[in-house]
Amino acid sequence: MKNMKKFAALFMATAMILGGVVACGNSAEESSAPAAEETAPAEDGAAEESAPAAAGDYEIVVVPKDSSNPWFVRMDTGVKEYAEETGLNVYQKGTDEIDATKQAQLVQDLIAQQVDAICVVPVDPESLEPVLKQAMDAGIVVIAHEGASLENVNYDIEAFSNAGYGAFIMDNLAEAMGEEGVYTTMVADVTNASHNEWADAGVEWQKEHYPNMTLLEAEPRVESHDNGDTAYNVAKELFKKYPDLKGIMGTSSFDSPGVARAIDELGLVDKAFTSGTGMPGDNAALLKSGTVKSLTLWDPAIAGKAMISLAVKVLNGEEIGAPVDLGVEGYEAMTFREGSSTVLEGEGWIVIDGENVDSFGF
């Protein structure tokens, strides 16, 4: 339900402008909408806030890491589809670049607007915590994605177990490397919770299952800052600096494509390898040429829909008990992460290679 403080503030302002003339009309519709039939006052002094809200009364905003990254452009597609399918007032609003400070300011602006729910993919979970606490203190539902370490949320949803996904990426890298050789890991930033969890899990999986592979001791983790050019430049320097380096495990959707450019430029195709997350359409040529053997992924459009669906459940006062069915593929039987009452995990990962890359449609 729209926060009644919004209506109260609007009502009082209107009354002042009209010199005490009380206007009757819509309390939840947009000003451009046709006037609705007046509703009789609640009987027995019942508070309006206790009545169930119509779906259209909710205002839910999805806040990605930024608005230009193709990953989040795809997420916006899912958000728009959800709005069209349900009639719900949901939309995506992101900053012009990946910047933790800008993202925090955007969330503060949404708090001031008194939206009903914020669904956020955090740039830096630690720095966003105080702002999300402000949102929850204001009665706003907070749902996160890729923010399993966050405390000031109602729930965080993950497309899969982070440990399982990291192992899955490592399996693909190990296959490409012939299960032997020196490798390192790449993340967007060392502050990025999910990327580092994937990388940590991949390393642990390698130690348990691929004894002939070795993590580069001198530089076990490098950063791409979610930028393909940075990933390319970092990888190029790594391959020059460490001639025995054979593989780079990527996590950001820019990592492996950037690394692949370096592999191709240095003439290391079939000698050096990379695997990680990536968008099908953006990497079709690399996959078909064999420069990248495989990429892994979950569909950000579906993740956006899943966040909104969970926010609606919370706003409706539904009990969230596993298994949780959010009504979208890969999120139909979500379970709580072991030891957590807020982190829900699905089964949404896929593998992309040269043979199936054209089948995804994005």
Side-chain angles (χ1 to χ4, degrees):
M1 179 182 293
K2 299 297 293 174
N3 193 312
M4 295 306 298
K5 289 186 291 186
K6 292 182 181 179
F7 172 65
L10 178 61
F11 182 85
M12 291 179 69
T14 305
M16 290 174 66
I17 293 170
L18 298 179
V21 177
V22 178
C24 298
N26 297 346
S27 62
E29 300 293 327
E30 295 292 331
S31 59
S32 60
E37 189 175 4
E38 290 186 16
T39 303
E43 295 181 5
D44 300 323
E48 252 186 279
E49 290 86 345
S50 64
D57 288 341
Y58 296 140
E59 182 177 4
I60 300 174
V61 186
V62 175
V63 179
K65 291 182 183 179
D66 82 323
S67 58
S68 59
N69 184 320
W71 185 266
F72 297 112
V73 172
R74 173 64 180 173
M75 181 172 283
D76 189 37
T77 297
V79 173
K80 288 175 178 174
E81 287 178 356
Y82 194 100
E84 293 174 1
E85 292 165 1
T86 64
L88 203 64
N89 180 18
V90 299
Y91 56 92
Q92 181 166 298
K93 189 171 186 179
T95 58
D96 58 355
E97 61 179 329
I98 295 178
D99 183 278
T101 301
K102 288 186 175 182
Q103 187 183 55
Q105 182 58 60
L106 174 55
V107 172
Q108 287 181 320
D109 292 344
L110 295 173
I111 295 171
Q113 294 172 33
Q114 299 179 324
V115 300
D116 294 296
I118 296 172
C119 300
V120 62
V121 186
V123 174
D124 179 2
E126 184 176 353
S127 68
L128 197 59
E129 286 279 24
V131 185
L132 296 183
K133 185 178 187 305
Q134 293 174 23
M136 295 192 74
D137 288 345
I140 297 171
V141 169
V142 177
I143 305 296
H145 175 53
E146 295 186 57
S149 65
L150 287 168
E151 296 181 0
N152 291 292
V153 295
N154 293 87
Y155 298 98
D156 170 79
I157 65 171
E158 301 296 329
F160 35 70
S161 155
N162 281 341
Y165 189 58
F168 182 64
I169 296 175
M170 180 52 66
D171 281 338
N172 284 276
L173 179 62
E175 181 179 357
M177 291 175 59
E179 299 185 11
E180 61 180 14
V182 178
Y183 75 96
T184 190
T185 61
M186 181 178 286
V187 296
D189 298 283
V190 293
T191 58
N192 185 298
S194 57
H195 289 185
N196 283 276
E197 287 184 37
W198 302 342
D200 288 345
V203 170
E204 289 305 310
W205 192 253
Q206 172 268 306
K207 290 177 179 178
E208 294 175 13
H209 297 273
Y210 304 109
N212 294 325
M213 291 175 65
T214 306
L215 181 64
L216 182 64
E217 185 175 353
E219 296 189 59
R221 188 147 307 167
V222 296
E223 296 176 302
S224 67
H225 305 302
D226 258 332
N227 184 286
D229 290 334
T230 302
Y232 156 76
N233 286 316
V234 169
K236 188 164 64 171
E237 290 304 312
L238 285 171
F239 286 124
K240 288 180 178 178
K241 190 175 180 180
Y242 306 104
D244 61 341
L245 181 63
K246 189 176 178 181
I248 298 178
M249 173 185 173
T251 54
S252 162
S253 61
F254 289 96
D255 291 355
S256 287
V259 172
R261 286 172 52 199
I263 289 173
D264 187 51
E265 182 177 305
L266 295 172
L268 296 175
V269 176
D270 292 329
K271 297 177 182 178
F273 306 91
T274 184
S275 187
T277 301
M279 297 284 277
D282 292 343
N283 299 291
L286 289 171
L287 288 161
K288 290 177 180 178
S289 70
T291 305
V292 178
K293 303 303 180 185
S294 65
L295 293 172
T296 57
L297 186 68
W298 69 102
D299 190 342
I302 296 179
K305 291 182 178 183
M307 281 194 289
I308 299 167
S309 177
L310 184 55
V312 172
K313 287 180 179 292
V314 176
L315 287 166
N316 283 341
E318 294 184 30
E319 182 179 352
I320 308 300
V324 180
D325 184 358
L326 299 182
V328 290
E329 186 176 357
Y331 301 81
E332 303 100 331
M334 303 194 77
T335 57
F336 284 102
R337 176 175 294 183
E338 184 176 355
S340 175
S341 61
T342 58
V343 180
L344 287 161
E345 298 174 335
E347 298 178 349
W349 63 55
I350 54 176
V351 62
I352 309 161
D353 56 31
E355 294 184 359
N356 68 6
V357 64
D358 291 329
S359 67
F360 294 100
F362 67 94

